């Protein structure tokens, strides 16, 4: 299910039990607390099948491959690839614009 379909789904609560992956893409991310914080939040909310991961890369082709992954549900991208990655997403909210 794509993110846009999920957000429009009549019962978002059903997504809790579905496996979803989120990524932080970029370079020099080994000290990032993002996975720990996001995964702790997911678990506390009962989203036990959700997983936030780091993917260290400077190549937009690797980011593109992961973004097109069937289970990818969301991501964050650091500079300089943030601008290029905008072209790869299904949905971009006002904050992302």
């Amino acid at each position: 299910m794509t993110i846009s379909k999920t957000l429009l789904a009549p019962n978002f609560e059903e997504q809790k039990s579905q496996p979803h992956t989120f990524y932080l893409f970029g370079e020099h991310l080994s000290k990032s607390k993002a996975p720990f914080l996001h995964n702790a939040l997911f678990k506390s909310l009962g989203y036990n099948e959700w997983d936030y991961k780091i993917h260290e890369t400077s190549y937009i082709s690797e980011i593109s491959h992961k973004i097109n992954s069937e289970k990818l549900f969301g991501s964050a991208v650091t500079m300089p690839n943030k601008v290029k990655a905008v072209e790869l997403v299904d949905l971009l909210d006002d904050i992302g614009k």
Side-chain angles (χ1 to χ4, degrees), residues 3-43:
I3 185 75
S4 54
K5 287 181 184 176
T6 302
L7 293 174
L8 297 173
N11 189 355
F12 186 73
E13 285 293 312
E14 292 176 11
Q15 294 301 315
K16 279 183 159 181
S17 62
Q18 300 299 314
H20 294 297
T21 303
F22 300 78
Y23 276 102
L24 171 59
F25 296 107
E27 297 180 80
H28 314 292
L29 303 174
S30 63
K31 295 183 181 179
S32 174
K33 303 288 187 238
F36 172 78
L37 295 171
H38 282 85
N39 287 324
L41 178 64
F42 294 158
K43 299 298 181 255

Side-chain angles (χ1 to χ4, degrees), residues 57-71:
T57 185
S58 61
Y59 299 105
I60 194 69
S61 60
E62 287 184 29
I63 295 170
S64 176
H65 175 73
K66 291 286 186 184
I67 285 177
N68 290 314
S69 170
E70 192 172 309
K71 292 182 182 177

